[in-house]
Amino acid sequence: MIKLRLKRYGKKREASYRIIAINSLARRDGRPLEELGFYNPRTDEVRLDVPGIVKRLQQGAQPSDTVRRILQKANVFEQVSAKAAS
């Protein structure tokens, strides 16, 4: 199964994360299928590739709890349901 989850990078105590699509059995920092965004918890900066995320969600990818909250704040799930309805 494909999961949307966070991949950690950066220095110690200064972590940033990339939102990635990856096989659910792969390790956290393994090679992703696709990088779909960026999240910096220190500055609360979020950059998302919304069309790519919508495509992956329509294909059945499951977001982790943290990624789900980030996507809900950005109203991505509304776009997924709008695309499914049309």
Side-chain angles (χ1 to χ4, degrees), residues 17-34:
Y17 299 90
R18 291 191 175 123
I19 298 170
I20 60 170
I22 193 166
N23 186 347
S24 63
L25 300 177
R27 61 183 190 218
R28 180 192 72 187
D29 294 333
R31 186 168 180 195
L33 300 171
E34 185 177 11

Side-chain angles (χ1 to χ4, degrees), residues 1 7 13 15 21 25 29-31 48 59-60 67 69-70 77 81:
M1 172 179 28
K7 178 179 178 178
R13 301 180 195 271
L25 300 177
D29 294 333
R31 186 168 180 195
L48 300 173
Q59 292 173 350
V67 172
R69 274 188 252 119
I70 292 169
F77 292 112
S81 60

Side-chain angles (χ1 to χ4, degrees), residues 3-9 16-22 26-30 32 36-41 45-48 62-71:
K3 299 273 290 183
L4 299 181
R5 64 185 188 202
L6 298 175
K7 178 179 178 178
R8 186 183 194 278
Y9 73 103
S16 295
Y17 299 90
R18 291 191 175 123
I19 298 170
I20 60 170
I22 193 166
R27 61 183 190 218
R28 180 192 72 187
D29 294 333
L36 300 168
F38 168 83
Y39 172 59
N40 185 345
E45 179 185 0
V46 177
R47 280 185 265 140
L48 300 173
Q62 297 296 312
S64 67
D65 294 337
T66 307
V67 172
R68 182 179 302 276
R69 274 188 252 119
I70 292 169
L71 297 179

Side-chain angles (χ1 to χ4, degrees), residues 41-58:
R42 291 173 287 126
T43 61
D44 232 12
E45 179 185 0
V46 177
R47 280 185 265 140
L48 300 173
D49 172 17
V50 177
I53 293 171
V54 169
K55 182 184 88 171
R56 287 290 181 178
L57 289 172
Q58 288 177 336

